[in-house]
Amino acid sequence: MREIVSIHVGQCGNQIADRYWRLILREHGLNENGMPKDGSSVSANSNMEVFFHKVRDGKFVPRAVLVDLEPGVINRIETGEMSKLFDEGSIVRKIPGAANNWARGYNVEGERVIDQIMNVIDAAVEKTKSLQGFLLTHSIGGGSGSGLGSLILERLRSAYPKKKIFTFSVAPSPLISDSAVEPYNAVLTLQRIRDNADAAVILDNEALFRIAKSKLHRAPNYMDLNNIVALIMSSVTASLRFPGKLNTDLGEFVTNLVPFPGNHFLTASFAPMRAIASEGQVRSNFPDLARETFAQDNFTAAIDWANGVYLSACALFRGDVKAKEVEENMASIRKSLNFASYVPTGIKIGVAETAPEGFASSGLALVNHTGIAAVFERLVAQFDIMFDNHAYTHWYEGAGVPREKMAEARDTVADLAKSYRDAS
Amino acid sequence: MDISLERQIASASRSVEEARRMSYNDPSRTGDLVEHISVLADLRQKEGDFRKAEGLYREALFRVQDLRKPDHELLAGIYSLLAYLYDRWGKMDLAAQFYEKALKLSEQHGFQDADKAATIKNNLAMIFKSLRKQEKAEQYYQEALDSFRALYGEENAKVASVYNNLGVLYYANLDVDRAQSMHEKALAIRQNLNGSDIDAADLSQTYINLGAVYKAQGDFQRAEECVDRAKKLRASANGYAPVARRSASLLLDRSA
């Protein structure tokens, strides 16, 4: 069993959901309506219960809760190919929108909708036998994903104190910016992620753009970016869903990846990053695959690699890989990574038999690197410039988040950055 | 846990999910949904899961508030259900707050159901008593009493209950004389109720309370008489004998 409930919040979270569930459906040999495809053997060979629950007519319904404060993206999912896939009872959408304001998502609009969301999540949890944890996808720069996402995290933690909570959090990019108040939203959300999540994979659109552009050899669009995120999310849970020699679950990831409480901010890499050609599978030999998996420019966040050390790393290989090859190649990769002096240079390794569709084999790396402090420091610096000049703060005060609370969040994130720097 | 309760909860939550699906496509079905939700919330409360019950009632509350055409009666109903939940949960401040909201709404829109409003007033008074706001408690008891008397006349079980509650309040304030007169009124009504309305537990409670009053006045003989009667009543009522814990808290008022 070991079921996982996925929660997708806000525009970004639901766009990821769109790509992610397409991928998961294909991996499990299901069509867009959640029915097994004719002649597919995949479903027999995998643990469907992790992500789906089966209803009477043989349909598999995702254990997913979709939440948004504006109907746009969810409408597109509902009118698209997967219109019959999701349970309408587990879609929560409200009209007003959070207007890019964390405080509106957290207090004003969130207050009115959080109970419904928690009831829907409770109902999803009641359908599980032994729940392992939650995956939450959201962006931390916007309004709904950040503010409402924070509120959901807090309530989730208090309702399910012992379940693992994994977030996939899209952070504002250093250069591209969607809105002026992103640093406020991000800092306020990071505080909640630090306090309530077990692990957070930080993704940033600029890094994703860079990866997509250099590997796909064409101008990438948001679908490509979300596809990368979907591949990472699917790999994290692969060994729960498919048989393999080395199993890893969310709990094992957390134990291995988090050396100090609160320092649970990770970055991820997926390899091989290739455009899936229509004619066949992407094949790569294992040494190349392993090297690409741990290549610095393949990671999804703007990490300060030069001024930092690895605290921990996990790797999960899928598909056609041999245990002997894994052993040999990972030994040399281990040596090439700059680990903190007090950490034994172990890399937790998992292997699952089934690769994502279109790949013969694939690799996933999840690492905890102290260079992630750079992401927080940049956000705090941007926060300070606006905050010290009282710019835009009235929107937050007006929605019940006084300046003291904002300063408190800022200090939490600054401390977080410092604790990472100190750990180097 | 009680197996039948578990089964009831499972079927109620299925109904809620189905209703959620229906109202997702057709907002006019929200009324059904709210009904299913409050059934489930009531079961959750029986199960002792106050957090889930609260979440359910609050979902219902916001859904009703979002309706295009406001349904004040339904809204007031949910307010009072929430208040009752907080009351049982021991969150007295919140309970009082929501009861008052329900009352205000029913006064603004002049609901027909005066019985409900009077019951709310009685419950509010009990909450203020436990918050040690004696004056407010007394005021609400009086209002509840007036409403019940206007509705049903003097000879009524609900009127007797409020007399009883007022008596307990006065007793707690060391106002023994007024407590005595209240309990005597309650006794007079409870003794003379029609067969089906007689509640042996209520009646014996009144004897116990009266006994306490007489004892406080130093009239031990009458106090003992009252307690004896109460004991006999309890023994005759289906062999029901008060357990020790209950005896120790006999002066608690029973909810109306």
Side-chain angles (χ1 to χ4, degrees), chain A residues 378-394:
Chain A
R378 179 169 48 78
L379 288 169
V380 168
Q382 290 172 339
F383 181 101
D384 285 348
I385 294 170
M386 292 199 294
F387 193 69
D388 293 346
N389 291 298
H390 292 248
Y392 296 110
T393 50
H394 67 285

Side-chain angles (χ1 to χ4, degrees), chain A residues 112-191:
Chain A
R112 300 180 65 85
V113 75
I114 184 66
D115 294 290
Q116 189 188 339
I117 296 168
M118 291 307 294
N119 293 341
V120 170
I121 292 174
D122 286 342
V125 170
E126 274 159 28
K127 295 201 188 81
T128 66
K129 292 201 183 75
S130 104
L131 178 75
Q132 164 161 214
F134 303 94
L135 300 183
L136 179 89
T137 66
H138 64 153
S139 83
I140 64 175
S144 317
S146 68
L148 185 55
S150 297
L151 184 58
I152 292 174
L153 271 176
E154 283 180 359
R155 297 284 289 266
L156 210 51
R157 178 48 82 215
S158 74
Y160 300 98
K162 290 187 177 158
K163 301 300 177 191
K164 294 284 173 274
I165 303 175
F166 244 73
T167 75
F168 289 83
S169 307
V170 177
S173 309
L175 300 172
I176 313 166
S177 173
D178 290 337
S179 83
V181 289
E182 271 183 349
Y184 286 159
N185 296 335
V187 164
L188 286 160
T189 311
L190 283 171
Q191 182 191 23

Side-chain angles (χ1 to χ4, degrees), chain A residues 49-67:
Chain A
E49 290 292 312
V50 174
F51 275 145
F52 298 92
H53 77 93
K54 196 175 182 177
V55 291
R56 252 174 237 147
D57 52 359
K59 182 187 166 185
F60 288 91
V61 181
R63 299 184 195 278
V65 177
L66 309 182
V67 182

Side-chain angles (χ1 to χ4, degrees), chain B residues 18-161:
Chain B
E18 195 50 48
R20 269 204 198 104
R21 267 169 226 143
M22 303 292 271
S23 77
Y24 184 78
N25 291 320
D26 179 7
S28 68
R29 307 291 291 266
T30 305
D32 289 352
L33 173 61
V34 168
E35 213 164 279
H36 285 298
I37 286 179
S38 62
V39 171
L40 179 60
D42 186 49
L43 291 169
R44 287 283 181 214
Q45 195 171 328
K46 273 188 197 144
E47 184 194 29
D49 195 336
F50 291 120
R51 181 189 72 80
K52 279 190 180 155
E54 182 196 21
L56 287 162
Y57 281 135
R58 283 175 56 97
E59 177 181 353
L61 175 66
F62 290 121
R63 282 195 190 259
V64 170
Q65 285 183 348
D66 283 347
L67 285 179
R68 288 247 171 76
K69 199 167 130 272
D71 187 337
H72 300 294
E73 197 137 8
L74 190 57
L75 191 57
I78 294 170
Y79 278 142
S80 54
L81 284 170
L82 250 177
Y84 183 66
L85 169 73
Y86 287 130
D87 189 355
R88 292 197 36 191
W89 201 352
K91 299 191 173 187
M92 294 305 178
D93 293 350
L94 282 168
Q97 197 184 318
F98 279 99
Y99 272 136
E100 285 187 321
K101 276 187 184 174
L103 263 188
K104 205 173 144 201
L105 212 57
S106 73
E107 275 159 16
Q108 275 171 358
H109 299 276
F111 296 155
Q112 300 301 310
D113 201 347
D115 175 271
K116 212 183 258 173
T119 308
I120 290 175
K121 282 179 182 163
N122 177 61
N123 292 357
L124 251 179
M126 287 166 119
I127 290 165
F128 282 122
K129 194 187 80 183
S130 68
L131 291 172
R132 309 214 175 280
K133 292 184 182 163
Q134 310 290 354
E135 279 164 29
K136 273 194 143 170
E138 189 181 346
Q139 183 201 328
Y140 275 119
Y141 274 141
Q142 284 295 353
E143 286 181 21
L145 186 61
D146 293 344
S147 312
F148 279 135
R149 275 158 76 180
L151 275 170
Y152 306 111
E154 184 78 17
E155 303 288 315
N156 177 272
K158 288 184 175 172
V159 176
S161 290

